[in-house]
Amino acid sequence: MRKNSIKNTRINEEVLRELSNIIRGDIKDPRINPLTSVVAVEVAPDLKTCKAYISVLGDGESQQATLAGLKSAEGYIRSKLAKNINLRNTPEIHFILDQSIEYGVNMSKLIDDVNKQVDDA
């Protein structure tokens, strides 16, 4: 795995910022959960593709509905991204559900439960 260049890191950060703003403010799809956040973005060095890791706070059904809403709005999101960021190519966005935040919350809850049991004993 090659280390990202400074240019690629900057592009990733800028795309992440703009993608977050577009999802939060511009999309009116009712399927998209209001508690949706963009965790990370990986733009390919040739600027053709982009993986956007999305975290949705909610149940599995809400997560799948949000992912479906984002995939259907992919063209709109890409056109808004092209207007807001001046890149040679506007990357094709692939949304990937990231459950690391939910996993961390569950693990923290389990640790708190164990600590509570130890304190009670």
Side-chain angles (χ1 to χ4, degrees):
M1 185 82 184
R2 208 181 86 199
K3 184 180 172 193
N4 280 346
S5 66
I6 294 171
K7 177 184 171 189
N8 202 347
T9 304
R10 282 186 188 161
I11 290 172
N12 288 344
E13 291 172 4
E14 189 64 28
V15 170
L16 183 130
R17 186 177 316 114
E18 287 300 326
L19 203 54
S20 297
N21 290 338
I22 291 168
I23 290 172
R24 185 175 355 102
D26 294 344
I27 298 178
K28 306 291 188 231
D29 194 333
R31 294 178 289 182
I32 297 175
N33 191 322
L35 298 174
T36 301
S37 60
V38 181
V39 178
V41 170
E42 292 177 7
V43 179
D46 64 354
L47 304 177
K48 298 283 186 194
T49 61
C50 167
K51 292 180 187 175
Y53 295 93
I54 305 295
S55 175
V56 180
L57 194 62
D59 59 348
E61 185 178 316
S62 173
Q63 291 174 348
Q64 293 306 319
T66 299
L67 209 55
L70 287 172
K71 285 186 183 194
S72 71
E74 203 170 278
Y76 174 75
I77 293 170
R78 190 174 179 195
S79 68
K80 290 291 281 186
L81 200 60
K83 288 179 187 172
N84 296 341
I85 300 177
N86 186 17
L87 291 175
R88 186 175 348 129
N89 297 319
T90 304
E92 182 180 329
I93 304 167
H94 300 286
F95 293 104
I96 300 169
L97 193 60
D98 183 28
Q99 297 176 329
S100 61
I101 294 175
E102 183 180 344
Y103 178 77
V105 168
N106 288 337
M107 290 305 286
S108 178
K109 182 177 178 274
L110 290 173
I111 291 170
D112 290 344
D113 291 345
V114 168
N115 285 338
K116 190 174 183 182
Q117 289 175 357
V118 168
D119 291 341
D120 290 343

